[in-house]
Amino acid sequence: MTLTRGVVLASASSARLALLRQAGLAPRVVVSGVDEEAVSAATPAELARVLAEAKAKAVAGSGELVDGELVIGCDSVLDLDGQALGKPKDATEATARWRGMRGRSGVLRTGHCVIDTATGHQVSATAATTVRFGTPDDAAIDAYVASGEPLHVAGSFTLDGRSAPFVAGIDGDPGTVIGLSLPLLRTLLAELGVRITDLWV
């Protein structure tokens, strides 16, 4: 019988944690503390990947891990006309974003990095899902921003919260938008020689 490997999520995201738990994993959380504002890259896709790698590496080197644990780092940005939009700085920015996004489409890019601390091997990639935004009126946008939710999520929206009614549709994996693509995670684990089914608990 294969012993279950320990899994560590290098993220404070409750949505990512929920996705992993729903997929049969039982990760523990170690927050990276990476300053996202200090990281830059040439494209939104590259930024998402670099941030994911930075988070995974910070946790893998933190001294808080048990031997052999697998570290999963993720980060998401909304690619709108080539501009990377992370979490808004304040309610004013969130409101302006939503008024600019409605009726348009963007690409939610989520970087993934997995580090096998048993071998030191690392793999990373970025998943992309197109998001078609609906047309909420100003009052609906103001009410949504007042809820506080958009201040804590990349692009000022999420599929698993109050903004879901304002998203007209998506093309791709919904997990990418929520914060973690389980199909991509399975692929990355396989590159490290790990079957995701062996991580089930």
Side-chain angles (χ1 to χ4, degrees):
M1 180 176 177
T2 303
L3 293 176
T4 301
R5 297 281 299 276
V7 176
V8 174
L9 176 62
S11 170
S13 168
S14 58
R16 291 187 181 112
L17 180 60
L19 283 169
L20 290 171
R21 285 176 171 169
Q22 289 162 14
L25 282 64
R28 66 188 187 95
V29 173
V30 178
V31 179
S32 70
V34 168
D35 180 4
E36 298 177 18
E37 296 297 322
V39 179
S40 61
T43 66
E46 182 71 4
L47 178 61
R49 185 182 62 79
V50 169
L51 282 166
E53 290 177 347
K55 291 181 177 182
K57 288 177 181 176
V59 169
S62 67
E64 297 183 41
L65 303 191
V66 176
D67 287 346
E69 286 186 306
L70 295 156
V71 180
I72 301 171
C74 296
D75 201 87
S76 302
V77 298
L78 176 65
D79 182 345
L80 193 67
D81 298 330
Q83 181 182 4
L85 303 179
K87 299 182 182 97
K89 293 182 175 61
D90 52 32
T92 299
E93 183 175 354
T95 300
R97 279 190 189 176
W98 260 103
R99 290 180 178 174
M101 294 188 310
R102 59 186 167 190
R104 302 177 62 199
S105 294
V107 180
L108 203 294
R109 302 189 185 276
T110 295
H112 299 62
C113 178
V114 184
I115 297 175
D116 184 346
T117 62
T119 63
H121 293 161
Q122 168 188 314
V123 289
S124 61
T126 301
T129 293
T130 298
V131 181
R132 302 188 302 278
F133 296 103
T135 55
D137 60 22
D138 287 353
I141 290 173
D142 291 345
Y144 177 54
V145 172
S147 76
E149 181 182 272
L151 301 181
H152 307 290
V153 288
S156 309
F157 78 100
T158 180
L159 286 183
D160 61 344
R162 298 187 183 206
S163 59
F166 307 144
V167 176
I170 66 169
D171 298 309
D173 176 15
T176 299
V177 184
I178 295 170
L180 188 150
S181 170
L182 290 166
L184 178 55
L185 176 63
R186 178 184 60 80
T187 299
L188 293 176
L189 287 168
E191 289 181 23
L192 293 172
V194 178
R195 292 179 181 270
I196 195 167
T197 53
D198 290 337
L199 302 180
W200 287 350
V201 295

